[in-house]
Amino acid sequence: MSKRLNGRRVHFVVADGREQYHGECRPALVVQDWGSTVEGPGAVNLVVFRDGGNESESGALVQWKWKTSVVYSADHRFDSWHFAEDCQ
């Protein structure tokens, strides 16, 4: 099992919560790298940092969200991750 991305800051593409934030990038921290290999990045578990209660459906002040088995996407698809330096 690869751990080469553990602790790295990446971006997560929002697909839940308030619709106005769908598709936006949020900073995230890789806590478990499940499948990255020398061929490329794989699925990871993330702690995603949110913009406070603005992104919550209920308006609750939620600063972070746990996301598991998030797949890599260079195309920035919803519910995926990509390297922060690749964000536009």
Side-chain angles (χ1 to χ4, degrees):
M1 182 180 329
S2 173
K3 297 192 184 301
R4 69 187 189 105
L5 294 177
N6 288 1
R8 181 155 182 189
R9 184 179 64 88
V10 297
H11 280 183
F12 174 77
V13 183
V14 176
D16 58 358
R18 293 186 180 172
E19 190 172 341
Q20 69 201 47
Y21 296 106
H22 291 186
E24 290 193 13
C25 295
R26 292 292 178 260
L29 185 66
V30 176
V31 293
Q32 182 63 56
D33 181 350
W34 290 111
S36 294
T37 65
V38 293
E39 287 83 36
V44 298
N45 287 355
L46 298 172
V47 172
V48 179
F49 298 94
R50 303 170 81 174
D51 185 16
N54 293 337
E55 294 179 27
S56 171
E57 287 285 351
S58 67
L61 185 59
V62 179
Q63 298 295 330
W64 58 274
K65 186 167 189 167
W66 180 255
K67 299 296 277 188
T68 59
S69 301
V70 180
V71 297
Y72 173 80
S73 171
D75 299 331
H76 303 184
R77 290 176 291 191
F78 285 172
D79 270 337
S80 69
W81 73 271
H82 55 274
F83 294 105
E85 55 269 20
D86 296 336
C87 201
Q88 301 150 350

